[in-house]
Amino acid sequence: MSNTSMNMGRATFYEDRNFQGRSYECSSDCPDISSYMSRCQSCRVQSGCFMVYERPNYMGNQYFMKRGEYSDYQSMMGMSDGFRSCRMIPMHRGNYKMRIYERENFGGQMHEMMDDCDSIQERYRMSDCQSCNVMDGHWLMYEQPHFRGRQMYMRPGEYRSFRDMGMSGMRFMSMRRITDMC
């Protein structure tokens, strides 16, 4: 049984690098940060974890942020215009479970995961992951082995096609649970 605690995260986003310019404090999802400021170039995460997106409505490249200071998005993430939307990741307490599939629509090889996997190729002899079903917990998927490269946040649900989600050409090669590390 899943048990997700709704402990609130809190982050302050700044218009300019090095925590300068106008600021906006956030403790929930924000589909369009431009409602509050013209751009976002730096951030302080006081508590919790957030996923930030380079485009409004949780689209485009994603970047995971836990408690800490992020003084310059451009140098850290390559996001020249900063980010445009964010999601607060609720803290999950309990089991983690995800099924990964080699092909879209839950086709091909299937493997059930309950812990981090730094390389699906090494662990499962699987060269690609194109769909998944997250049953418990919140996960980060990475395009390269050893938790490197572009990321995608996965919350409980069925993901039949990463291509249809705008991740065309991206292969996910490692997965990590989002635990109480925040």
Side-chain angles (χ1 to χ4, degrees), residues 2 4 9 15 33 48 56 59 66 112-113 117 134-135 137 139 159 161 177:
S2 176
T4 300
E15 210 165 40
I33 200 101
M59 301 295 289
K66 59 184 180 178
E112 192 167 280
M113 300 175 45
C117 176
V134 177
M135 279 102 49
W139 298 73
Y159 301 88
S161 172
R177 298 163 296 152

Side-chain angles (χ1 to χ4, degrees), residues 19-86:
F19 319 110
Q20 301 295 310
R22 291 190 331 189
S23 65
Y24 167 66
E25 190 167 299
C26 182
S27 60
S28 63
D29 295 355
C30 181
D32 190 357
I33 200 101
S34 67
S35 304
Y36 305 100
M37 55 182 48
S38 62
R39 66 186 177 277
C40 186
Q41 296 288 327
S42 57
C43 172
R44 284 188 174 110
V45 177
Q46 290 91 353
S47 62
C49 297
F50 288 81
M51 204 72 194
V52 296
Y53 301 80
E54 83 181 326
R55 296 197 324 250
N57 298 312
Y58 319 113
M59 301 295 289
N61 288 326
Q62 306 176 22
Y63 187 79
F64 176 74
M65 297 182 356
K66 59 184 180 178
R67 186 178 175 154
E69 295 190 345
Y70 303 85
S71 62
D72 183 359
Y73 291 136
Q74 187 170 4
S75 65
M76 290 174 54
M77 300 175 244
M79 290 184 183
S80 59
D81 293 331
F83 71 88
R84 302 287 185 205
S85 55
C86 72

